[in-house]
Amino acid sequence: MKTIAYFAFVLLGVIWGSNFIFMKWAAEYITPQQVAFLRVVFGFIPLLVFAVIRGEIRLRDMRHIHHFVVMALLATAIYYFAFAKGAALLLSSVAGMLSGAIPLFTFVTALLFLREERSTPKSLTGLALGFAGVVLIARPWQLDGAQMADGGVSLVGTAYMVAGALSVGCSFVYARKFITPLKLSAVSLSTYQIGIATLIFAVATDYTNIDLVFSDPKAAWGLVVGLGILGTGLAYILYYFIVAKLGAMAASGVTYLPPLVAMAVGGVLVGEPIAMLDVFAMIAILIGVFLQQTGKRIVPVSKKGV
């Protein structure tokens, strides 16, 4: 069973790392908001079927719907839209590299809002190194805000990727404080989260010309299968399978794979230009994440006065 879990680990990293080129293709025809909406629609369908088969949907869980709404916003709606917008403005390989900074933002928000999280010199060094990598990729000293034809980076696109990473970071902290104590299954939580996000997008999305993405088979299959069925629906199922079989700490290591996959897909398969500075910056981010995750300290918090 562990062999299957490790296979699922690699598969999940490949799926998440491939998402950026699929977002890039879809954004050539429809808006980033429409990309995010269709992604959650096609991702919610297999997730709902899986949850129903397992009997994970319960009406009594709706007393916690306010928490599900917050998670739907932080961990899906804002996150998916920001990454779709960033991928539309950046090379897919660059967007994928920047996604490697997600654990850094999680650490920052945890330090601010979780009293049991404590920094150490090792974790702070990792944090500084990781954010230095983000700055090297963005290169704000030479940008005019638009993506340049020679492989330059859009500062606006970088800002959207940072916003998406920050949103996910906040969602992890919120989940630890308010969702984990509910003792609900991961499958049911994911289904509620994606379902509510689908409703949010359904109300907020402008549907004008949304069908254009289906005029290009490559973009359509990438959106429906790559981003929706695999990148959202199956990805959640794989992730929680890995957590159950290998543990949460091992599962968190999957965040190291998407930047590498995105760089390989963008550079090798699609032919996007990859600057050596970007490669060094991505390595800095990954090393920073490793130092931050292995160097953080958790202290017990007394319940007295809480």
Side-chain angles (χ1 to χ4, degrees), residues 3 5 10 47 68-69 74 76 87-88 129 143 150 155 168 176 193 200 214 255 257 260 272 280 285 287 298 305:
T3 301
V10 175
L47 194 58
F68 304 152
V69 170
L74 293 177
T76 304
L129 185 61
L143 303 178
D150 63 353
L155 188 59
V168 176
R176 188 182 301 183
Q193 172 185 316
I200 292 173
F214 299 105
T255 57
L257 298 180
L260 301 174
E272 293 179 345
F280 286 126
I285 291 174
I287 294 176
I298 298 178

Side-chain angles (χ1 to χ4, degrees), residues 11-20 39 231-232 235-236 239 254-255 258:
L11 179 60
L12 181 58
V14 172
I15 289 173
W16 276 346
S18 303
N19 282 347
F20 299 96
R39 175 178 182 176
T232 301
Y236 272 93
Y239 180 76
V254 77
T255 57

Side-chain angles (χ1 to χ4, degrees), residues 17-25 86-99 147 161 258-259 261-267 270 272:
S18 303
N19 282 347
F20 299 96
I21 191 62
F22 297 144
M23 286 187 276
K24 186 75 174 178
W25 288 344
L89 296 171
L90 299 166
L91 296 174
S92 66
S93 55
V94 172
M97 292 179 201
L98 289 171
S99 74
Q147 182 174 329
M161 294 299 299
V261 174
M263 183 177 67
V265 170
V270 184
E272 293 179 345

Side-chain angles (χ1 to χ4, degrees), residues 3 9 24 40 51 75 84 94 103 128 140 146 161 174 184 231 241 256 272 276 288:
T3 301
F9 182 96
K24 186 75 174 178
V40 295
V94 172
M161 294 299 299
Y174 189 90
L184 299 176
F241 173 76
Y256 291 92
E272 293 179 345
M276 285 306 300

Side-chain angles (χ1 to χ4, degrees), residues 63-125:
R63 66 185 184 274
H64 307 301
I65 192 171
H66 54 293
H67 291 310
F68 304 152
V69 170
V70 174
M71 287 299 294
L73 287 169
L74 293 177
T76 304
I78 297 174
Y79 163 45
Y80 279 5
F81 168 73
F83 268 28
K85 185 72 174 180
L89 296 171
L90 299 166
L91 296 174
S92 66
S93 55
V94 172
M97 292 179 201
L98 289 171
S99 74
I102 288 177
L104 302 177
F105 290 97
T106 302
F107 178 62
V108 170
T109 53
L111 284 180
L112 293 175
F113 299 107
L114 296 179
R115 290 183 295 164
E116 64 268 29
E117 292 279 354
R118 295 290 186 272
S119 63
T120 65
K122 183 178 180 181
S123 66
L124 292 177
T125 299

